[in-house]
Amino acid sequence: MPVFHTKTIESILEPVAQQISHLVIMHEEGEVDGKAIPDLTAPVAAVQAAVSNLVRVGKETVQTTEDQLMKRDMPPAFIKVENACTKLVQAAHMLKADPYSVPARDYLIDGSRGILSGTSDLLLTFDEAEVRKIIRVCKGILEYLTVAEVVEGMEDLVTYTKNLGPGMTKMAKMIDERQQELTHQEHRVMLVNSMNTVKELLPVLISAIKIFVTTKSSKSQGVEEALKNRNFTVEKMSTEINEIIRVLQLTSWDEDAWANKDSEAMKRALALIDSKINQAKGWLRDPNAQSGDAGEQAIRQILDEAGKVGELCAGKERRDILGTAKTLGQMTDQVSELRARGQGATPVAMQKAQQVSQGLDLLSSKVENAARKLEAMTNSKQVLTKNIDAAQNWLADPYGGPEGEEHIRGIMSEAKKIADLCEDPKEREDILRSLGEIAALTAKLSDLRRQGKGDTPEARALAKQIATTLQNLQSKTNRAVANSRPVKAAVNLEGKIEQAQRWIDNPTIDDRGVGQAAMRGLVAEGRRLANAMLGPYRQELLGKCDRVEQLSAHLAELAARGEGESPQARAVAAQLQESLKDMKSKMQEAMTQEVSDIFSDTTTPIKLLAVAATAPPGAPNREEVFDERAAYFEHHAAKLGGTAEKAAAVGTANKSTVEGIQAAVKSSRELTPQVVSAARILLRNPGNQAAHEHFETMKNQWIDNVEKMTGLVDEAIDTKSLLDASEEAIKKDIDKCRVAMANVQPQMLVAGATSIARRANRILLVAKREVENSEDPKFREIVKAASDDLSKTISPMVMDAKAVAGNIQDPGLQKSFLDSGYRILGAVAKVREAFQPQEPDFPPPPPDLDQLHLNEEPAPPKPPLPEGEVPPPRPPPPEEKDEEFPEEKAGEMVNQQMMVAARQLHEEARKWSSKGNDIIGAAKRMALLMAEMSRLVRGVTGNKRALIQCAKDIAKASDEVTRLAKEVAKQCTDKRIRTNLLQVCERIPTISTQLKILSTVKATMLGRTNISEEESEQATEMLVHNAQNLMQSVKETVREAEAASIKIRTDAGFTLRWARKTPWYQ
């Protein structure tokens, strides 16, 4: 089947497909309409010339290349193209003699399909060879990174740097050229991100090697920490380069990324559970331990992490972990409540505490088993993937030695492990059947090679067959691993809400469990937020989560009994809708407050660590102070990461922002211990310039990453809500300061004043980012003026706080400080007001009519109302023609996945009127056309002409959506929204072009009996996947365009009317 992962392949295949589509239509006109097919000698000759040129270039390349895989895979592609071309030429000659010839029509359609398929194979083989060139350079860098372990002197370091630099430059250039060539936006982003990380880590690596060499050669303290820094950087760079190699080999959307993320999440959860279990058990053992102290918080964290693991599991495993965690949470609440009432030492409380302690051991065991199972499957999958490359190289070499058999045996061994872990017996048997086939074929090939017959046509055919079977085996094992995991809900809140809402509206629909998975994800995030809150607030949010969970389970039960459309189900759905809205509101409120608190100050702990690391050798308690500061820094970094994850999950962020936050959190977790190690080296080597430079390098990298994380978190939450939460927090800080002055507590006063200053500076940072993001001069001016006013109030408040702290009982100083605090509060209110939606400028009111006198004559009397029949009411406005989505008829064959994708786009577009809005009009047309295509794809008789025309019409509407979206983006004053809109609509032209090509491929198969079922299903699967991507991209474009239209330049002269059909509040 054709693949379109590069612009070159797409640009060559599109005109070929266009020519083939004309031939296909001619074939159908002859077959169905009985028309004579015109003379095709000239167009076929043009196709033959183009194909011959392609084959000639390919053969020349094969003659000069040393790539054995290319030498093996090119010839079959040549044969396929040349045979197809021969069929086309024969068809042209036969049709010239007899325009109604049936055999000629068959040759025409088979030749057309062969040309398209063979050309795709040729291009893919050539592209794979180009990718292998890049991978060789990447592997060279990987090998040279390991040389860092033997660099032990400054001369070695200079040589190492000189040798590494050119290779890194070459790799970066090749990766940059490759990412520009790719059509998959996600793959481009992944390559760019990984390459940027490698570039950022290069100076860190040099610094880490330098400090290692320095400490080791001078026999100073800190060699062990320097070694950790060096090894971490080498490992991190190696991981990123391996990720680059993996992404380079992808030709379709990445199906493996989830496995790595899930495995990492499980391992991190397990490590955190292990680190907190002793503290949790200590609290449970002590009947006098206070409710809400660190031990109870440790239990909450363990249950929170176990819940995360449970959500990553499927079936019984998931139910066990989540059920156990929920039960232990309820029992912990009971223990905490008993201790709060002073009844912690009663037999009931002691027994409950012991049960919780035993339950934690059981829960930890279940989490560990889940992590091991996933790790075993993903490890087997990765080993299998690595061995496939070596096995393919052995198969391509007719004189390969017996070591290649070992690679194939390794592949079979790992595939067998995956089969053993499969819960689906059909999948397990399918994998085992492939293993038997590979074993038999490999034994036959090895026998031929031992006889010196490895270069015979029989041996080459066997090698090709084994290579194909290995690829099929890899696909089967990948599918088995993917199917062993739960269905994935959207990564962001709005996506989950949409999926859940779709299920609530129609609980009987088969959405593969996505709606309920989204609902579970929302409830899990709600409980995660609740666990970080104080008693009554926690119980309130937990109650809302429980309510949503109960209603969701009830609705699912009714749907399972076939009562999903009953009045009772509709009543439950309505209650669930309200409860979900209520829970979402409370979650966002809690998350915004947490972000306001935790992100009010991100860098003070690392600055304090720097001060402790550079303390003079004679400073008292130098080591103890450093250890305390290091622990505080690590604790603070963990809180930042945890809060950022909650903002990603519960905020209003889109998918790319969520993934950006997750990447930043991961980097923070990896960098934090390395910063502590670098600081410890500096502590133990005072005055060492290399140690100082290395710490500064690590510190700056950590700060840069946290600033990036903070910016993404600010994007993920509503700015006005954050300002509201910060303003409320400043009011509470002022109240605390008033209490501190009344109770003569200068330290408490200083803490409150510091908090006020930090929150005010955080507001300034948010305002500055919003000003930089906007191109609206009026908005920028208002926010900047308010920010300047706020900035002027901070220093006076700090000075007044210092004065009153020195003489806390002076009423005059107290008043001055409070006045300063209220001035800050007033300035914060002005910043907040600057973000309020601006009211439109209305014209002045008309003058008082009583004051107007035209003349002194009285007005004539009002005529009487007409008597008789009442006039009819005004008729309603005419309905828009494109409103109704076609309902499926009984017994009608359609492709359900395409139909569902089309329906979802239509539902999104139907929220808005298409009058005065061409984007909505085009989106609705696309949805209706895609619904039609879902019928044409499954048509038993097949209608090639209609399928090809339908794809062309969809592509035309796609071009219109893209053009209009770019116009909206051009006039949008919000840079962030503009970028999001352009990124989304950029995907549409590529996907619509691919749709035309895939539709042509599918059209060549409709009504044909000489096509295998597997080949036909594969073509349909690719077409369906493409259709889903296109509908999703257009749906996202509609949403982003609506968001962008709110911030259109007033002088734009370009307007789209966004009139909501059903207001959001109804």
Side-chain angles (χ1 to χ4, degrees):
M1 286 297 106
V3 289
F4 321 92
H5 60 293
T6 74
K7 293 173 184 174
T8 300
I9 292 178
E10 187 181 291
S11 66
I12 294 172
L13 282 182
E14 184 186 7
V16 173
Q18 198 169 351
Q19 291 297 322
I20 296 301
S21 68
H22 293 318
L23 297 177
V24 171
I25 290 169
M26 287 180 192
H27 170 273
E28 184 159 71
E29 286 175 346
E31 187 176 59
V32 178
D33 302 341
K35 290 183 180 179
I37 296 180
D39 184 6
L40 298 176
T41 307
V44 166
V47 172
Q48 185 182 23
V51 167
S52 298
N53 186 49
L54 188 63
V55 170
R56 179 181 57 77
V57 173
K59 286 183 175 178
E60 288 173 1
T61 306
V62 169
Q63 291 297 322
T64 56
T65 188
E66 295 180 2
D67 189 324
Q68 292 297 322
L69 287 176
M70 189 179 189
K71 286 185 180 230
R72 182 197 73 190
D73 294 341
M74 273 290 194
F78 295 151
I79 293 167
K80 184 188 284 189
V81 172
E82 288 169 336
N83 287 346
C85 203
T86 302
K87 281 189 176 181
L88 274 186
V89 172
Q90 286 177 331
H93 289 315
M94 292 165 73
L95 288 167
K96 191 172 183 180
D98 178 8
Y100 298 95
S101 171
V102 174
R105 288 203 303 262
D106 289 342
Y107 271 25
L108 181 67
I109 198 75
D110 291 341
S112 299
R113 186 175 60 255
I115 288 281
L116 204 49
S117 178
T119 305
S120 176
D121 289 352
L122 263 176
L123 294 170
L124 180 59
T125 302
F126 182 78
D127 186 71
E128 286 173 343
E130 291 298 303
V131 168
R132 285 193 287 272
K133 288 179 187 175
I134 306 174
I135 288 173
R136 278 195 289 273
V137 173
C138 293
K139 287 185 174 177
I141 298 292
L142 273 177
E143 289 174 9
Y144 198 67
L145 282 176
T146 60
V147 176
E149 296 176 8
V150 297
V151 175
E152 296 188 349
M154 292 306 292
E155 288 183 10
D156 293 344
L157 177 57
V158 171
T159 305
Y160 183 79
T161 306
K162 281 183 179 178
N163 292 341
L164 183 61
M168 288 288 289
T169 304
K170 183 179 180 181
M171 180 175 74
K173 183 172 181 289
M174 293 176 88
I175 295 300
D176 183 54
E177 290 171 354
R178 180 66 182 177
Q179 66 88 10
Q180 291 180 40
E181 174 70 2
L182 295 177
T183 57
H184 286 288
Q185 193 179 74
E186 292 87 354
H187 295 173
R188 291 205 302 271
V189 170
M190 290 158 80
L191 282 180
V192 169
N193 288 346
S194 289
M195 193 64 238
N196 286 343
T197 303
V198 172
K199 288 177 185 175
E200 290 165 7
L201 286 170
L202 184 57
V204 178
L205 174 65
I206 304 305
S207 175
I209 297 174
K210 184 178 178 183
I211 190 62
F212 172 72
V213 167
T214 305
T215 52
K216 188 171 183 182
S217 59
S218 62
K219 298 182 179 177
S220 307
Q221 294 184 14
V223 176
E224 187 179 337
E225 285 81 5
L227 186 63
K228 282 180 185 175
N229 274 177
R230 187 200 69 188
N231 291 347
F232 160 78
T233 312
V234 169
E235 186 180 342
K236 178 71 174 168
M237 289 178 77
S238 300
T239 301
E240 293 297 337
I241 294 173
N242 277 317
E243 175 67 1
I244 287 171
I245 291 172
R246 187 183 73 83
V247 175
L248 283 170
Q249 296 175 88
L250 296 174
T251 57
S252 59
W253 170 233
D254 181 19
E255 299 170 350
D256 297 337
W258 65 266
N260 296 329
K261 289 179 182 176
D262 285 5
S263 188
E264 285 174 10
M266 282 189 176
K267 286 178 184 175
R268 188 168 66 248
L270 193 57
L272 198 142
I273 289 171
D274 287 344
S275 69
K276 297 286 181 183
I277 198 86
N278 288 335
Q279 188 180 18
K281 287 187 171 183
W283 181 81
L284 290 166
R285 279 195 302 269
D286 182 5
N288 300 315
Q290 294 300 305
S291 173
D293 74 2
E296 184 182 347
Q297 291 303 314
I299 296 176
R300 305 284 180 198
Q301 284 178 288
I302 289 171
L303 300 181
D304 183 24
E305 294 300 319
K308 290 179 185 177
V309 173
E311 288 299 329
L312 298 174
C313 298
K316 184 176 181 297
E317 196 172 46
R318 179 187 164 280
R319 290 193 298 273
D320 278 354
I321 293 174
L322 292 181
T324 305
K326 184 178 179 182
T327 303
L328 289 175
Q330 292 167 346
M331 292 170 71
T332 304
D333 288 343
Q334 293 168 4
V335 172
S336 179
E337 191 178 334
L338 286 167
R339 290 183 177 180
R341 295 203 302 259
Q343 299 172 9
T346 61
V348 173
M350 297 280 283
Q351 185 183 12
K352 286 277 184 192
Q354 188 178 4
Q355 288 171 346
V356 173
S357 182
Q358 292 168 350
L360 288 177
D361 287 334
L362 178 64
L363 183 63
S364 177
S365 172
K366 288 178 178 179
V367 168
E368 187 175 359
N369 289 339
R372 281 181 179 170
K373 180 181 175 182
L374 177 59
E375 187 176 16
M377 292 191 91
T378 50
N379 283 350
S380 290
K381 185 178 175 184
Q382 287 164 2
V383 172
L384 189 150
T385 302
K386 285 179 183 176
N387 280 337
I388 285 256
D389 288 340
Q392 294 284 21
N393 286 325
W394 176 73
L395 290 167
D397 181 5
Y399 307 105
E403 68 281 353
E405 290 181 71
E406 290 299 320
H407 292 303
I408 291 181
R409 275 197 283 272
I411 290 168
M412 293 171 67
S413 171
E414 297 303 329
K416 175 75 165 54
K417 290 177 186 176
I418 292 173
D420 291 341
L421 290 168
C422 275
E423 293 183 5
D424 186 338
K426 186 180 176 184
E427 281 184 340
R428 183 165 56 247
E429 288 165 14
D430 203 14
I431 293 172
L432 295 175
R433 195 180 307 113
S434 291
L435 291 177
E437 188 180 345
I438 291 168
L441 291 170
T442 306
K444 198 172 179 182
L445 177 62
S446 298
D447 190 41
L448 285 171
R449 287 188 174 181
R450 276 193 291 272
Q451 295 172 30
K453 298 178 183 178
D455 205 14
T456 61
E458 183 187 1
R460 285 190 173 278
L462 268 174
K464 180 65 179 170
Q465 191 178 353
I466 294 169
T468 304
T469 313
L470 283 174
Q471 287 175 340
N472 290 339
L473 175 67
Q474 188 176 18
S475 298
K476 289 173 183 177
T477 52
N478 286 351
R479 200 178 304 116
V481 174
N483 289 344
S484 71
R485 314 310 304 151
V487 290
K488 291 287 178 181
V491 296
N492 58 335
L493 179 76
E494 293 305 323
K496 286 192 183 82
I497 290 285
E498 181 188 348
Q499 290 169 337
Q501 187 64 56
R502 203 178 296 136
W503 175 73
I504 293 170
D505 291 341
N506 191 354
T508 58
I509 195 170
D510 179 17
D511 64 350
R512 298 179 300 112
V514 170
Q516 292 184 65
M519 195 74 76
R520 290 195 300 268
L522 290 166
V523 170
E525 290 299 340
R527 286 184 174 139
R528 205 162 291 139
L529 276 167
N531 282 337
M533 298 168 77
L534 297 174
Y537 301 106
R538 180 172 69 240
Q539 292 306 322
E540 183 187 3
L541 182 51
L542 284 175
K544 293 182 187 300
C545 292
D546 288 343
R547 176 68 175 159
V548 168
E549 188 176 54
Q550 288 162 5
L551 288 169
S552 177
H554 191 187
L555 185 60
E557 186 184 343
L558 288 170
R561 294 205 305 257
E563 300 172 16
E565 300 294 337
S566 65
Q568 185 185 3
R570 283 197 289 273
V572 171
Q575 292 174 37
L576 178 55
Q577 212 161 15
E578 285 304 311
S579 297
L580 186 61
K581 192 188 296 183
D582 192 24
M583 182 182 79
K584 174 191 170 185
S585 173
K586 199 68 186 174
M587 285 166 64
Q588 291 189 318
E589 182 187 327
M591 180 271 300
T592 305
Q593 187 59 58
E594 187 172 331
V595 168
S596 171
D597 292 340
I598 303 300
F599 276 83
S600 63
D601 178 31
T602 57
T603 56
T604 295
I606 198 170
K607 290 174 182 174
L608 292 174
L609 178 67
V611 170
T614 53
N621 302 318
R622 188 166 172 265
E623 290 276 351
E624 289 79 0
V625 170
F626 177 85
D627 289 341
E628 184 183 318
R629 297 274 174 87
Y632 175 50
F633 166 64
E634 288 176 326
H635 175 68
H636 176 70
K639 283 173 71 177
L640 286 175
T643 301
E645 284 182 324
K646 291 174 187 175
V650 183
T652 56
N654 58 23
K655 183 172 178 282
S656 61
T657 303
V658 169
E659 289 174 347
I661 291 174
Q662 290 171 344
V665 170
K666 183 184 175 190
S667 291
S668 174
R669 285 181 175 136
E670 291 171 342
L671 280 170
T672 299
Q674 303 308 318
V675 171
V676 173
S677 293
R680 202 174 295 280
I681 294 168
L682 183 56
L683 179 77
R684 293 175 178 174
N685 296 275
N688 186 315
Q689 186 61 27
H692 179 74
E693 289 173 0
H694 178 60
F695 173 69
E696 285 298 312
T697 300
M698 298 300 297
K699 182 184 83 171
N700 290 337
Q701 194 181 29
W702 189 91
I703 289 173
D704 289 346
N705 184 69
V706 165
E707 285 178 353
K708 179 182 174 184
M709 185 199 299
T710 305
L712 289 167
V713 166
D714 287 351
E715 283 182 31
I717 57 179
D718 178 60
T719 303
K720 186 179 173 301
S721 299
L722 179 60
L723 295 177
D724 286 342
S726 299
E727 187 177 6
E728 286 301 313
I730 289 174
K731 287 179 183 175
K732 290 178 182 176
D733 285 334
I734 291 174
D735 290 341
K736 287 178 185 175
C737 290
R738 186 183 283 108
V739 171
M741 290 187 293
N743 295 336
V744 192
Q745 294 176 308
Q747 285 185 336
M748 185 177 169
L749 172 78
V750 169
T754 304
S755 178
I756 292 169
R758 286 173 181 167
R759 291 183 192 279
N761 280 314
R762 176 82 171 95
I763 291 169
L764 287 176
L765 176 64
V766 171
K768 181 187 174 188
R769 283 202 175 112
E770 290 301 317
V771 167
E772 290 171 351
N773 179 60
S774 177
E775 291 178 352
D776 182 343
K778 186 177 179 182
F779 173 78
R780 287 166 62 94
E781 186 182 346
I782 293 171
V783 176
K784 192 171 185 310
S787 299
D788 290 343
D789 289 346
L790 175 59
S791 180
K792 292 171 187 172
T793 63
I794 298 172
S795 292
M797 186 277 297
V798 172
M799 299 298 292
D800 288 341
K802 287 180 180 177
V804 77
N807 189 2
I808 199 166
Q809 293 180 308
D810 187 318
L813 293 176
Q814 288 182 358
K815 183 177 183 305
S816 295
F817 168 71
L818 288 174
D819 288 346
S820 297
Y822 287 123
R823 276 194 291 274
I824 283 185
L825 206 53
V828 167
K830 283 186 179 178
V831 174
R832 173 177 50 76
E833 287 165 9
F835 285 88
Q836 296 276 20
Q838 298 297 310
E839 294 294 333
D841 294 329
F842 289 105
D848 189 351
L849 296 180
D850 292 338
Q851 305 300 319
L852 296 179
H853 300 284
L854 297 178
N855 51 46
E856 297 303 323
E857 295 180 15
K862 187 181 292 186
L865 292 172
E867 297 180 2
E869 293 184 5
V870 178
R874 179 181 294 177
E879 280 290 320
E880 294 179 19
K881 293 179 182 177
D882 56 1
E883 281 301 292
E884 293 307 317
F885 191 80
E887 293 298 326
E888 293 176 40
K889 298 171 185 173
E892 185 179 34
M893 293 186 70
V894 298
N895 184 285
Q896 280 296 336
Q897 291 168 294
M898 289 177 80
M899 183 64 86
V900 167
R903 187 186 296 278
Q904 288 174 4
L905 173 60
H906 197 264
E907 286 173 358
E908 182 67 33
R910 274 196 67 178
K911 294 175 184 175
W912 308 96
S913 169
S914 54
K915 290 178 182 176
N917 192 321
D918 291 340
I919 287 183
I920 293 299
K924 288 177 181 176
R925 284 200 303 279
M926 287 182 72
L928 297 173
L929 286 165
M930 191 59 75
E932 177 62 20
M933 183 176 275
S934 74
R935 294 182 174 87
L936 294 169
V937 166
R938 289 296 301 271
V940 178
T941 56
N943 191 330
K944 305 175 183 64
R945 190 175 15 181
L947 178 59
I948 290 170
Q949 188 57 48
C950 188
K952 287 180 179 177
D953 291 342
I954 291 172
K956 187 177 177 182
S958 298
D959 292 341
E960 189 177 355
V961 169
T962 305
R963 179 183 64 77
L964 292 166
K966 286 183 176 178
E967 280 292 328
V968 173
K970 196 188 297 181
Q971 305 301 339
C972 179
T973 60
D974 189 298
K975 296 177 186 175
R976 198 180 301 130
I977 294 176
R978 181 201 305 157
T979 302
N980 290 341
L981 176 54
L982 289 173
Q983 284 178 344
V984 171
C985 77
E986 183 192 41
R987 299 199 297 257
I988 295 175
T990 296
I991 301 172
S992 64
T993 299
Q994 294 171 3
L995 182 76
K996 288 191 290 185
I997 300 172
L998 288 168
S999 298
T1000 302
V1001 173
K1002 184 64 184 174
T1004 63
M1005 297 180 176
L1006 290 178
R1008 305 297 294 164
T1009 56
N1010 60 343
I1011 304 293
S1012 70
E1013 187 180 340
E1014 185 179 353
E1015 190 178 1
S1016 179
E1017 281 301 315
Q1018 192 180 5
T1020 303
E1021 190 178 319
M1022 288 184 73
L1023 186 58
V1024 167
H1025 185 63
N1026 179 275
Q1028 289 172 322
N1029 283 344
L1030 183 57
M1031 296 293 97
Q1032 182 64 27
S1033 294
V1034 174
K1035 188 165 70 172
E1036 289 176 15
T1037 299
V1038 167
R1039 289 176 181 170
E1040 292 292 347
E1042 190 273 328
S1045 67
I1046 297 169
K1047 301 201 174 183
I1048 291 285
R1049 299 175 197 278
T1050 53
D1051 59 348
F1054 173 82
T1055 56
L1056 287 174
R1057 177 176 170 271
W1058 292 89
R1060 194 176 276 274
K1061 302 292 287 300
T1062 306
W1064 62 269
Y1065 50 78
Q1066 286 187 5

